[in-house]
PDB file of all heavy atoms in Angstrom:
ATOM      1  N   GLY A 353      25.549 -12.456 -36.689  1.00 97.00           N
ATOM      2  CA  GLY A 353      25.551 -13.320 -37.867  1.00 97.00           C
ATOM      3  C   GLY A 353      25.855 -14.758 -37.497  1.00 97.00           C
ATOM      4  O   GLY A 353      25.730 -15.592 -38.388  1.00 97.00           O
ATOM      5  N   LEU A 475      15.908 -26.086 -40.440  1.00 98.00           N
ATOM      6  CA  LEU A 475      16.071 -24.683 -40.924  1.00 98.00           C
ATOM      7  C   LEU A 475      15.476 -23.558 -40.130  1.00 98.00           C
ATOM      8  O   LEU A 475      14.528 -23.731 -39.376  1.00 98.00           O
ATOM      9  CB  LEU A 475      15.467 -24.589 -42.317  1.00 98.00           C
ATOM     10  CG  LEU A 475      16.065 -25.417 -43.513  1.00 98.00           C
ATOM     11  CD1 LEU A 475      15.191 -25.410 -44.713  1.00 98.00           C
ATOM     12  CD2 LEU A 475      17.441 -24.998 -43.809  1.00 98.00           C
ATOM     13  N   LEU A 476      16.151 -22.449 -39.957  1.00 98.00           N
ATOM     14  CA  LEU A 476      15.749 -21.433 -39.155  1.00 98.00           C
ATOM     15  C   LEU A 476      14.376 -20.872 -39.514  1.00 98.00           C
ATOM     16  O   LEU A 476      14.120 -20.622 -40.764  1.00 98.00           O
ATOM     17  CB  LEU A 476      16.766 -20.236 -39.177  1.00 98.00           C
ATOM     18  CG  LEU A 476      18.049 -20.626 -38.295  1.00 98.00           C
ATOM     19  CD1 LEU A 476      19.142 -19.634 -38.623  1.00 98.00           C
ATOM     20  CD2 LEU A 476      17.799 -20.726 -36.826  1.00 98.00           C
ATOM     21  N   PRO A 477      13.553 -20.409 -38.700  1.00 98.00           N
ATOM     22  CA  PRO A 477      12.176 -20.253 -38.951  1.00 98.00           C
ATOM     23  C   PRO A 477      11.909 -18.854 -39.208  1.00 98.00           C
ATOM     24  O   PRO A 477      10.795 -18.240 -38.997  1.00 98.00           O
ATOM     25  CB  PRO A 477      11.459 -20.603 -37.630  1.00 98.00           C
ATOM     26  CG  PRO A 477      12.474 -20.317 -36.544  1.00 98.00           C
ATOM     27  CD  PRO A 477      13.757 -20.611 -37.195  1.00 98.00           C
ATOM     28  N   TYR A 478      12.832 -18.146 -39.928  1.00 98.00           N
ATOM     29  CA  TYR A 478      12.622 -16.665 -40.261  1.00 98.00           C
ATOM     30  C   TYR A 478      11.591 -16.735 -41.342  1.00 98.00           C
ATOM     31  O   TYR A 478      11.764 -17.296 -42.456  1.00 98.00           O
ATOM     32  CB  TYR A 478      13.941 -16.012 -40.713  1.00 98.00           C
ATOM     33  CG  TYR A 478      15.231 -16.168 -39.800  1.00 98.00           C
ATOM     34  CD1 TYR A 478      16.328 -16.383 -40.232  1.00 98.00           C
ATOM     35  CD2 TYR A 478      14.969 -16.239 -38.354  1.00 98.00           C
ATOM     36  CE1 TYR A 478      17.474 -16.544 -39.385  1.00 98.00           C
ATOM     37  CE2 TYR A 478      16.017 -16.324 -37.517  1.00 98.00           C
ATOM     38  CZ  TYR A 478      17.319 -16.509 -38.043  1.00 98.00           C
ATOM     39  OH  TYR A 478      18.311 -16.613 -37.232  1.00 98.00           O
ATOM     40  N   PHE A 480      10.984 -14.153 -44.065  1.00 98.00           N
ATOM     41  CA  PHE A 480      11.386 -12.739 -44.719  1.00 98.00           C
ATOM     42  C   PHE A 480      10.309 -12.043 -45.481  1.00 98.00           C
ATOM     43  O   PHE A 480      10.417 -10.912 -45.737  1.00 98.00           O
ATOM     44  CB  PHE A 480      12.542 -13.303 -45.680  1.00 98.00           C
ATOM     45  CG  PHE A 480      13.734 -13.641 -44.921  1.00 98.00           C
ATOM     46  CD1 PHE A 480      14.068 -15.123 -44.907  1.00 98.00           C
ATOM     47  CD2 PHE A 480      14.624 -12.819 -44.423  1.00 98.00           C
ATOM     48  CE1 PHE A 480      15.228 -15.503 -44.261  1.00 98.00           C
ATOM     49  CE2 PHE A 480      15.750 -13.295 -43.817  1.00 98.00           C
ATOM     50  CZ  PHE A 480      16.076 -14.605 -43.666  1.00 98.00           C
ATOM     51  N   TRP A 523      11.932 -18.212 -51.322  1.00 98.00           N
ATOM     52  CA  TRP A 523      12.500 -18.978 -50.235  1.00 98.00           C
ATOM     53  C   TRP A 523      11.447 -19.739 -49.519  1.00 98.00           C
ATOM     54  O   TRP A 523      11.511 -20.827 -49.138  1.00 98.00           O
ATOM     55  CB  TRP A 523      13.277 -18.116 -49.359  1.00 98.00           C
ATOM     56  CG  TRP A 523      13.586 -18.654 -48.006  1.00 98.00           C
ATOM     57  CD1 TRP A 523      13.164 -18.466 -46.720  1.00 98.00           C
ATOM     58  CD2 TRP A 523      14.506 -19.759 -47.765  1.00 98.00           C
ATOM     59  NE1 TRP A 523      13.715 -19.172 -45.916  1.00 98.00           N
ATOM     60  CE2 TRP A 523      14.562 -20.098 -46.488  1.00 98.00           C
ATOM     61  CE3 TRP A 523      15.271 -20.560 -48.704  1.00 98.00           C
ATOM     62  CZ2 TRP A 523      15.273 -21.128 -45.938  1.00 98.00           C
ATOM     63  CZ3 TRP A 523      15.934 -21.748 -48.274  1.00 98.00           C
ATOM     64  CH2 TRP A 523      16.074 -21.963 -46.811  1.00 98.00           C
ATOM     65  N   ARG A 527      11.820 -23.762 -49.549  1.00 97.00           N
ATOM     66  CA  ARG A 527      12.654 -24.136 -48.409  1.00 97.00           C
ATOM     67  C   ARG A 527      12.618 -25.574 -47.965  1.00 97.00           C
ATOM     68  O   ARG A 527      13.549 -26.245 -47.616  1.00 97.00           O
ATOM     69  CB  ARG A 527      12.451 -23.205 -47.158  1.00 97.00           C
ATOM     70  CG  ARG A 527      11.034 -23.272 -46.648  1.00 97.00           C
ATOM     71  CD  ARG A 527      10.933 -22.348 -45.302  1.00 97.00           C
ATOM     72  NE  ARG A 527      11.569 -22.969 -44.368  1.00 97.00           N
ATOM     73  CZ  ARG A 527      12.206 -22.400 -43.229  1.00 97.00           C
ATOM     74  NH1 ARG A 527      12.159 -21.013 -43.238  1.00 97.00           N
ATOM     75  NH2 ARG A 527      12.745 -23.024 -42.306  1.00 97.00           N
ATOM     76  N   LYS A 537      25.008 -25.081 -43.482  1.00 97.00           N
ATOM     77  CA  LYS A 537      25.435 -24.002 -44.303  1.00 97.00           C
ATOM     78  C   LYS A 537      24.336 -23.070 -44.729  1.00 97.00           C
ATOM     79  O   LYS A 537      24.611 -21.849 -44.811  1.00 97.00           O
ATOM     80  CB  LYS A 537      26.068 -24.685 -45.568  1.00 97.00           C
ATOM     81  CG  LYS A 537      27.287 -25.511 -45.421  1.00 97.00           C
ATOM     82  CD  LYS A 537      27.778 -26.062 -46.643  1.00 97.00           C
ATOM     83  CE  LYS A 537      29.134 -26.867 -46.389  1.00 97.00           C
ATOM     84  NZ  LYS A 537      29.690 -27.454 -47.649  1.00 97.00           N
ATOM     85  N   VAL A 538      23.198 -23.666 -45.023  1.00 98.00           N
ATOM     86  CA  VAL A 538      22.150 -22.715 -45.299  1.00 98.00           C
ATOM     87  C   VAL A 538      21.763 -21.805 -44.068  1.00 98.00           C
ATOM     88  O   VAL A 538      21.546 -20.571 -44.314  1.00 98.00           O
ATOM     89  CB  VAL A 538      20.844 -23.556 -45.804  1.00 98.00           C
ATOM     90  CG1 VAL A 538      19.633 -22.553 -45.811  1.00 98.00           C
ATOM     91  CG2 VAL A 538      21.038 -24.293 -46.996  1.00 98.00           C
ATOM     92  N   ASN A 539      21.746 -22.359 -42.918  1.00 98.00           N
ATOM     93  CA  ASN A 539      21.405 -21.427 -41.793  1.00 98.00           C
ATOM     94  C   ASN A 539      22.444 -20.426 -41.665  1.00 98.00           C
ATOM     95  O   ASN A 539      22.056 -19.326 -41.200  1.00 98.00           O
ATOM     96  CB  ASN A 539      21.283 -22.375 -40.606  1.00 98.00           C
ATOM     97  CG  ASN A 539      20.009 -23.135 -40.318  1.00 98.00           C
ATOM     98  OD1 ASN A 539      18.941 -22.676 -41.082  1.00 98.00           O
ATOM     99  ND2 ASN A 539      19.962 -24.135 -39.651  1.00 98.00           N
ATOM    100  N   ALA A 540      23.600 -20.678 -41.834  1.00 98.00           N
ATOM    101  CA  ALA A 540      24.778 -19.686 -41.834  1.00 98.00           C
ATOM    102  C   ALA A 540      24.449 -18.528 -42.726  1.00 98.00           C
ATOM    103  O   ALA A 540      24.562 -17.287 -42.286  1.00 98.00           O
ATOM    104  CB  ALA A 540      26.057 -20.271 -42.100  1.00 98.00           C
ATOM    105  N   ARG A 541      23.889 -18.786 -43.932  1.00 98.00           N
ATOM    106  CA  ARG A 541      23.603 -17.803 -44.815  1.00 98.00           C
ATOM    107  C   ARG A 541      22.340 -17.084 -44.433  1.00 98.00           C
ATOM    108  O   ARG A 541      22.152 -15.812 -44.603  1.00 98.00           O
ATOM    109  CB  ARG A 541      23.403 -18.405 -46.238  1.00 98.00           C
ATOM    110  CG  ARG A 541      24.436 -19.010 -46.890  1.00 98.00           C
ATOM    111  CD  ARG A 541      25.709 -18.232 -47.229  1.00 98.00           C
ATOM    112  NE  ARG A 541      25.529 -17.322 -48.379  1.00 98.00           N
ATOM    113  CZ  ARG A 541      25.978 -17.486 -49.443  1.00 98.00           C
ATOM    114  NH1 ARG A 541      26.579 -18.630 -49.899  1.00 98.00           N
ATOM    115  NH2 ARG A 541      25.926 -16.605 -50.514  1.00 98.00           N
ATOM    116  N   LEU A 542      21.383 -17.583 -43.807  1.00 98.00           N
ATOM    117  CA  LEU A 542      20.128 -17.100 -43.277  1.00 98.00           C
ATOM    118  C   LEU A 542      20.471 -16.180 -42.273  1.00 98.00           C
ATOM    119  O   LEU A 542      19.908 -14.997 -42.185  1.00 98.00           O
ATOM    120  CB  LEU A 542      19.121 -18.108 -42.898  1.00 98.00           C
ATOM    121  CG  LEU A 542      18.577 -19.093 -43.993  1.00 98.00           C
ATOM    122  CD1 LEU A 542      17.653 -20.078 -43.251  1.00 98.00           C
ATOM    123  CD2 LEU A 542      17.822 -18.219 -44.958  1.00 98.00           C
ATOM    124  N   MET A 543      21.440 -16.522 -41.394  1.00 98.00           N
ATOM    125  CA  MET A 543      21.880 -15.577 -40.254  1.00 98.00           C
ATOM    126  C   MET A 543      22.564 -14.426 -40.797  1.00 98.00           C
ATOM    127  O   MET A 543      22.396 -13.213 -40.166  1.00 98.00           O
ATOM    128  CB  MET A 543      22.667 -16.317 -39.169  1.00 98.00           C
ATOM    129  CG  MET A 543      21.798 -17.310 -38.346  1.00 98.00           C
ATOM    130  SD  MET A 543      22.812 -17.989 -36.971  1.00 98.00           S
ATOM    131  CE  MET A 543      23.441 -19.435 -37.794  1.00 98.00           C
ATOM    132  N   GLU A 544      23.355 -14.588 -41.793  1.00 98.00           N
ATOM    133  CA  GLU A 544      24.068 -13.522 -42.495  1.00 98.00           C
ATOM    134  C   GLU A 544      22.892 -12.495 -43.082  1.00 98.00           C
ATOM    135  O   GLU A 544      23.157 -11.235 -42.975  1.00 98.00           O
ATOM    136  CB  GLU A 544      24.972 -13.921 -43.515  1.00 98.00           C
ATOM    137  CG  GLU A 544      25.716 -12.828 -44.291  1.00 98.00           C
ATOM    138  CD  GLU A 544      26.484 -11.937 -43.485  1.00 98.00           C
ATOM    139  OE1 GLU A 544      26.751 -12.168 -42.249  1.00 98.00           O
ATOM    140  OE2 GLU A 544      26.922 -10.722 -43.931  1.00 98.00           O
ATOM    141  N   ALA A 545      21.929 -13.097 -43.601  1.00 98.00           N
ATOM    142  CA  ALA A 545      20.917 -12.148 -44.226  1.00 98.00           C
ATOM    143  C   ALA A 545      20.250 -11.364 -43.076  1.00 98.00           C
ATOM    144  O   ALA A 545      20.050 -10.245 -43.097  1.00 98.00           O
ATOM    145  CB  ALA A 545      19.786 -13.043 -44.879  1.00 98.00           C
ATOM    146  N   GLU A 546      20.022 -12.110 -42.025  1.00 98.00           N
ATOM    147  CA  GLU A 546      19.529 -11.460 -40.606  1.00 98.00           C
ATOM    148  C   GLU A 546      20.375 -10.289 -40.139  1.00 98.00           C
ATOM    149  O   GLU A 546      19.884  -9.292 -39.810  1.00 98.00           O
ATOM    150  CB  GLU A 546      19.149 -12.423 -39.651  1.00 98.00           C
ATOM    151  CG  GLU A 546      17.844 -13.105 -39.782  1.00 98.00           C
ATOM    152  CD  GLU A 546      16.751 -12.143 -39.514  1.00 98.00           C
ATOM    153  OE1 GLU A 546      16.317 -11.976 -38.364  1.00 98.00           O
ATOM    154  OE2 GLU A 546      16.203 -11.656 -40.614  1.00 98.00           O
ATOM    155  N   ARG A 547      21.669 -10.624 -40.212  1.00 98.00           N
ATOM    156  CA  ARG A 547      22.643  -9.611 -39.794  1.00 98.00           C
ATOM    157  C   ARG A 547      22.589  -8.388 -40.575  1.00 98.00           C
ATOM    158  O   ARG A 547      22.516  -7.243 -40.132  1.00 98.00           O
ATOM    159  CB  ARG A 547      24.109 -10.100 -39.658  1.00 98.00           C
ATOM    160  CG  ARG A 547      25.150  -9.281 -39.210  1.00 98.00           C
ATOM    161  CD  ARG A 547      26.538  -9.693 -39.442  1.00 98.00           C
ATOM    162  NE  ARG A 547      26.785  -9.444 -40.864  1.00 98.00           N
ATOM    163  CZ  ARG A 547      27.002  -8.298 -41.538  1.00 98.00           C
ATOM    164  NH1 ARG A 547      26.955  -7.246 -40.844  1.00 98.00           N
ATOM    165  NH2 ARG A 547      27.200  -8.266 -42.919  1.00 98.00           N
ATOM    166  N   GLU A 689      21.770 -13.214 -50.409  1.00 98.00           N
ATOM    167  CA  GLU A 689      21.906 -14.319 -49.491  1.00 98.00           C
ATOM    168  C   GLU A 689      20.752 -15.387 -49.564  1.00 98.00           C
ATOM    169  O   GLU A 689      20.889 -16.522 -49.573  1.00 98.00           O
ATOM    170  CB  GLU A 689      22.002 -13.768 -48.020  1.00 98.00           C
ATOM    171  CG  GLU A 689      23.203 -12.980 -47.737  1.00 98.00           C
ATOM    172  CD  GLU A 689      24.489 -13.972 -47.851  1.00 98.00           C
ATOM    173  OE1 GLU A 689      24.322 -15.059 -47.600  1.00 98.00           O
ATOM    174  OE2 GLU A 689      25.663 -13.331 -48.035  1.00 98.00           O
ATOM    175  N   LEU A 690      19.550 -14.661 -49.718  1.00 98.00           N
ATOM    176  CA  LEU A 690      18.277 -15.626 -49.943  1.00 98.00           C
ATOM    177  C   LEU A 690      18.334 -16.422 -51.301  1.00 98.00           C
ATOM    178  O   LEU A 690      18.049 -17.632 -51.325  1.00 98.00           O
ATOM    179  CB  LEU A 690      17.073 -14.760 -49.908  1.00 98.00           C
ATOM    180  CG  LEU A 690      16.617 -14.167 -48.399  1.00 98.00           C
ATOM    181  CD1 LEU A 690      15.334 -13.476 -48.545  1.00 98.00           C
ATOM    182  CD2 LEU A 690      16.528 -15.344 -47.419  1.00 98.00           C
ATOM    183  N   VAL A 693      20.609 -19.663 -51.181  1.00 97.00           N
ATOM    184  CA  VAL A 693      20.063 -20.816 -50.458  1.00 97.00           C
ATOM    185  C   VAL A 693      18.730 -21.276 -50.977  1.00 97.00           C
ATOM    186  O   VAL A 693      18.375 -22.334 -50.462  1.00 97.00           O
ATOM    187  CB  VAL A 693      20.152 -20.475 -48.926  1.00 97.00           C
ATOM    188  CG1 VAL A 693      21.375 -20.119 -48.381  1.00 97.00           C
ATOM    189  CG2 VAL A 693      19.109 -19.443 -48.584  1.00 97.00           C
TER     190      VAL A 693
END
Side-chain angles (χ1 to χ4, degrees):
L475 289 173
L476 287 166
Y478 307 146
F480 293 98
W523 167 245
R527 58 177 288 149
K537 292 181 179 180
V538 170
N539 282 339
R541 301 296 289 263
L542 295 177
M543 283 187 276
E544 175 60 13
E546 278 291 273
R547 187 196 65 77
E689 294 294 336
L690 286 184
V693 296

